[in-house]
Amino acid sequence: STPSNSSAASDVYKRQIVSIDGGNFETINPLLEKGVMPNIKKFQHKAILESVIPPATAVAWASFSTGNYPGKTEIYDFTMVDEESWKIDFLSRKRLKTKPLWQYLSDAGLKPCYVNIPVTYPVDKINGIIVSGIETPSTFYNYTCPPELKQELNNLNYKIDVSGLKDSKEEIVKEALNIFNTRIKVAKYLLKKDFQFFIILFRGSDIVKHYAWGKPEVEKVYTEIDKFVGELKQNPDYEVIVMSDHGFEKIDYAFNANAWLEKNNYLVSNLKRNWFATFGITRKRVYRFVRALKLEFLIRIIPRKFSQKIPEEKINFEQAISTGVVDMTKTKAIAKGAIKSAQIFLNTKKRGG
């Protein structure tokens, strides 16, 4: 229930949620013991919130925002495959079938501030602030509520996520750190505005571990998040919650489901159908070309749907279908893989199989 007066609402709902994407104890505990995360250490043993199944960013945030388990949200990844075809749609706010938390808060007369939370694009018009998350095509689209906030953030060189066109892991990590540092700056800027509920997701902790596991960059991100939490805790009006959407761990071996399907004649590849693949054009080579011409700004405005058509050296599920490197007229099954789980889709008659 909502308190009957605004001052009470402010006291009850002046909450801060800081989310560490892919936060895991294998990374956090040694840093706590080292003494470089004194602020988050105060949260240790307070509570443990389990993730969803499958434990993935898009799935977890859809459940967090609606209070529904994945079976009800029907969101299992950042991309969805149509049941009667091989049409692939990217995750968006439109996929949420029930009212999300930010709308409940807004309708109750409270002002939420959402920063970089997945499944918020296209942004809703609310009595508050939304800076949409990873599914946003680029900052050239309207990614904020209110719309005029976009220019304020652009003036701060705000970026949503790392570009898919990169030459090396080192460049990905470098950009991730730059975006992370800017996001902290933007968070401090937005904290000066009027709100009763503030939530932010730091994606850098996930990206850096993907590409720099065990390296100093990981500690750098976590210690900076700890400093940010410490600054929030200094304000007596704030009630701070630290959470994560899923865990993270080192993988020594992985089972390639599509390789097994191809070996057993369930999947048929066809590299000749995609002219990108035919001429050896990959994302890495496109990036090198763009960078050589000093046209890096183009990377920021290319919609994700187009970049997915340019294959990587290791083809993923979406690229396999959208680029035509898998012959769907002969394929019986194809896997949409993750390290710990893989969704296997059958090529039914409705899909043309």
Side-chain angles (χ1 to χ4, degrees):
S1 62
T2 304
S4 58
N5 60 74
S6 59
S7 61
S10 177
D11 291 339
V12 175
Y13 289 92
K14 199 79 171 182
R15 290 180 180 159
Q16 320 279 330
I17 298 181
V18 178
S19 181
I20 305 171
D21 196 349
N24 64 312
F25 291 115
E26 185 177 353
T27 297
I28 293 174
N29 285 340
L31 297 178
L32 296 180
E33 295 173 4
K34 191 177 178 180
V36 296
M37 295 179 66
N39 299 297
I40 291 180
K41 186 175 179 63
K42 297 175 183 177
F43 293 82
Q44 195 175 21
H45 307 308
K46 292 288 182 70
I48 295 177
L49 177 66
E50 293 186 357
S51 188
V52 293
I53 298 175
T57 296
V59 191
W61 280 107
S63 292
F64 175 89
S65 297
T66 62
N68 296 321
Y69 59 91
K72 191 169 183 179
T73 65
E74 296 183 357
I75 292 175
Y76 302 100
D77 202 349
F78 278 109
T79 53
M80 279 68 63
V81 183
D82 184 77
E83 292 184 0
E84 298 186 358
S85 70
W86 288 109
K87 180 183 177 182
I88 297 174
D89 286 330
F90 287 91
L91 179 65
S92 75
R93 161 69 181 89
K94 298 175 183 178
R95 285 279 175 173
L96 293 181
K97 300 177 180 179
T98 55
K99 191 174 179 178
L101 178 59
W102 60 85
Q103 284 192 335
Y104 277 108
L105 294 169
S106 179
D107 292 348
L110 302 170
K111 292 185 178 180
C113 181
Y114 273 66
V115 185
N116 196 43
I117 304 303
V119 208
T120 53
Y121 179 87
V123 293
D124 290 328
K125 293 181 181 180
I126 63 168
N127 176 39
I129 291 173
I130 295 178
V131 181
S132 59
I134 184 176
E135 72 278 7
T136 310
S138 78
T139 52
F140 281 81
Y141 290 74
N142 181 27
Y143 66 96
T144 67
C145 171
E148 57 268 23
L149 179 62
K150 172 183 174 180
Q151 188 56 52
E152 296 178 44
L153 300 191
N154 287 349
N155 291 340
L156 295 171
N157 296 317
Y158 187 79
K159 291 183 180 179
I160 295 168
D161 208 60
V162 175
S163 165
L165 295 174
K166 280 290 173 285
D167 195 22
S168 66
K169 291 182 178 180
E170 290 74 20
E171 290 191 5
I172 292 175
V173 171
K174 182 179 179 180
E175 185 179 9
L177 290 175
N178 288 335
I179 292 173
F180 170 75
N181 291 330
T182 301
R183 186 156 288 134
I184 287 183
K185 182 169 65 175
V186 166
K188 294 178 179 179
Y189 174 78
L190 294 176
L191 283 168
K192 298 175 183 177
K193 297 184 180 291
D194 184 26
F195 64 91
Q196 284 80 42
F197 180 92
F198 181 94
I199 181 168
I200 184 169
L201 169 65
F202 289 112
R203 281 262 305 146
S205 54
D206 183 281
I207 298 172
V208 169
K209 281 189 292 188
H210 271 296
Y211 297 98
W213 177 268
K215 295 183 179 180
E217 289 87 349
V218 175
E219 180 175 329
K220 176 178 174 59
V221 168
Y222 273 83
T223 54
E224 288 300 317
I225 292 176
D226 184 83
K227 291 177 184 177
F228 179 73
V229 170
E231 292 179 20
L232 294 179
K233 291 288 288 181
Q234 290 177 7
N235 191 323
D237 295 330
Y238 292 166
E239 181 182 2
V240 182
I241 298 171
V242 178
M243 60 171 281
S244 180
D245 48 0
H246 58 82
F248 214 97
E249 64 182 354
K250 181 182 177 182
I251 298 296
D252 294 313
Y253 301 97
F255 176 73
N256 189 324
N258 279 328
W260 184 90
L261 289 171
E262 184 173 24
K263 182 179 179 181
N264 289 275
N265 300 318
Y266 292 106
L267 183 150
V268 180
S269 60
N270 184 8
L271 293 176
K272 295 181 180 179
R273 289 189 59 185
N274 178 256
W275 68 271
F276 283 117
T278 300
F279 293 99
I281 299 175
T282 63
R283 289 192 192 185
K284 181 179 289 188
R285 291 179 179 178
V286 169
Y287 178 76
R288 288 177 179 174
F289 179 75
V290 170
R291 188 178 61 177
L293 296 179
K294 297 182 178 180
L295 298 174
E296 288 95 334
F297 73 92
L298 290 174
I299 295 173
R300 292 182 59 193
I301 65 175
I302 296 175
R304 189 179 292 111
K305 288 184 179 181
F306 176 78
S307 64
Q308 283 286 342
K309 294 183 181 296
I310 305 174
E312 295 180 280
E313 292 181 356
K314 295 181 179 179
I315 304 296
N316 65 25
F317 173 83
E318 290 80 9
Q319 294 167 12
I321 294 175
S322 62
T323 62
V325 297
V326 170
D327 189 342
M328 300 309 297
T329 63
K330 299 177 182 178
T331 291
K332 299 176 182 177
I334 183 171
K336 188 170 186 284
I339 294 298
K340 300 185 74 173
S341 63
Q343 303 172 49
I344 296 180
F345 293 83
L346 300 180
N347 197 4
T348 60
K349 290 183 178 180
K350 289 182 178 181
R351 287 181 169 141

